[in-house]
Amino acid sequence: DAPPPPPPGALAEAPPLISDLPVGARLLSAMVQGYRDHQLRLWADAWFPGPNGGFCRRDKVGLKIDVAKPAYKLVFQPNGDGAAAAASAQVLTPFHSLAAVAVHHAPRDGETLYGVAGTMQDTAGGGARAEQITFLPPGDAWLGAALRCARDPAQCGAHEAQLANALPPDLARKCDAFRLGAAEALAGRRAPREGSDLVVALGTVFAAWLPEGAADPRALDPFLQRMDRLRAPSLRAPAPPARGQRQGPGPRATAP
């Protein structure tokens, strides 16, 4: 049955960013991990009626469970300066952990689910073992925006630059304006009291992934205006020449 509608005046519940498998299926999948035969061991009664009126002993029962499990791949090469990892570089997760059984089924085909690990250890073959994984909003846009807010795409590795440059022009411009404001704050060119507006402006950059009304749409305007003023002269449109003034050197007449 469909869930009941929200009461009048209540905010509609926003759909989750990540569409995962049901919790029960994830728990069963976590229980069978670590066993080569992928069976769930259930402890049975010590004694149960057997043939010819006797009793037989049975300690446990093995149940074969086949639940989908994710396969993670490394995105960036370790110490590769933002270069893409090899397609065969697998990421291992700890057994019996929820990260190892989180299967995102995106509403759109081909939508990638990225994750950031708290600790990673390189393994043979160019892969890694990851723990304390935090999943990011699905798709390339969120990760590309985060990378562009942190570094200029011109200074990134090839794969980082590819993600950052694939953003829509409006979102890319917002990321550049925030990065400029953050760089000025780190360099001490912004007053300490102005640090809080960076947090509000960051919410404007990622407003598409926040609940409606959670971000101030005008918070980033001062950063955008300052970025336009500080742009390199080569990126600005040339100023029109004044009346009666030539633009640049003109041709000169020479005596024969």
Side-chain angles (χ1 to χ4, degrees), residues 21-255:
L21 293 177
V23 177
R26 293 172 61 190
L27 290 175
L28 290 175
S29 180
M31 292 177 186
V32 302
Q33 281 195 350
Y35 302 106
R36 292 184 179 274
D37 53 2
H38 292 283
Q39 288 190 351
L40 177 64
R41 267 70 175 181
L42 297 179
W43 292 102
D45 294 335
W47 299 95
F48 70 100
N52 303 324
F55 289 89
C56 298
R57 182 175 179 83
R58 182 175 58 182
D59 296 329
K60 57 187 175 181
V61 179
L63 301 178
K64 178 69 174 177
I65 295 181
D66 188 10
V67 179
K69 101 172 164 172
Y72 296 106
K73 293 185 178 180
L74 202 60
V75 178
F76 301 111
Q77 289 183 8
N79 302 323
D81 194 21
S88 59
Q90 299 291 328
V91 177
L92 305 177
T93 52
F95 290 137
H96 310 298
S97 66
L98 291 180
V101 295
V103 180
H104 170 62
H105 46 92
R108 294 180 293 273
D109 293 338
E111 193 175 50
T112 305
L113 180 65
Y114 294 96
V116 178
T119 58
M120 294 190 70
Q121 182 179 6
D122 296 342
T123 59
R129 179 178 177 83
E131 297 184 3
Q132 302 170 2
I133 297 177
T134 299
F135 293 111
L136 306 181
D140 295 344
W142 195 98
L143 179 57
L147 293 172
R148 189 157 187 146
C149 284
R151 290 208 298 176
D152 188 342
Q155 301 174 356
C156 295
H159 194 53
E160 286 186 9
Q162 179 182 356
L163 290 169
N165 288 326
L167 297 176
D170 181 61
L171 180 56
R173 185 168 177 265
K174 292 178 179 179
C175 295
D176 293 341
F178 173 82
R179 186 180 66 252
L180 174 63
E184 291 184 337
L186 291 174
R189 295 193 296 268
R190 293 178 62 87
R193 66 178 180 273
E194 297 178 348
S196 60
D197 59 358
L198 280 171
V199 179
V200 181
L202 187 62
T204 306
V205 175
F206 292 92
W209 294 276
L210 297 176
E212 185 177 357
D216 182 2
R218 314 300 298 179
L220 201 62
D221 288 353
F223 298 88
L224 293 169
Q225 296 168 5
R226 178 163 178 76
M227 181 183 67
D228 292 339
R229 291 195 302 267
L230 296 179
R231 273 193 192 166
S234 60
L235 298 180
R236 296 179 182 173
R243 174 176 290 184
Q245 180 183 2
R246 292 184 308 175
Q247 185 176 13
R252 296 182 179 179
T254 57

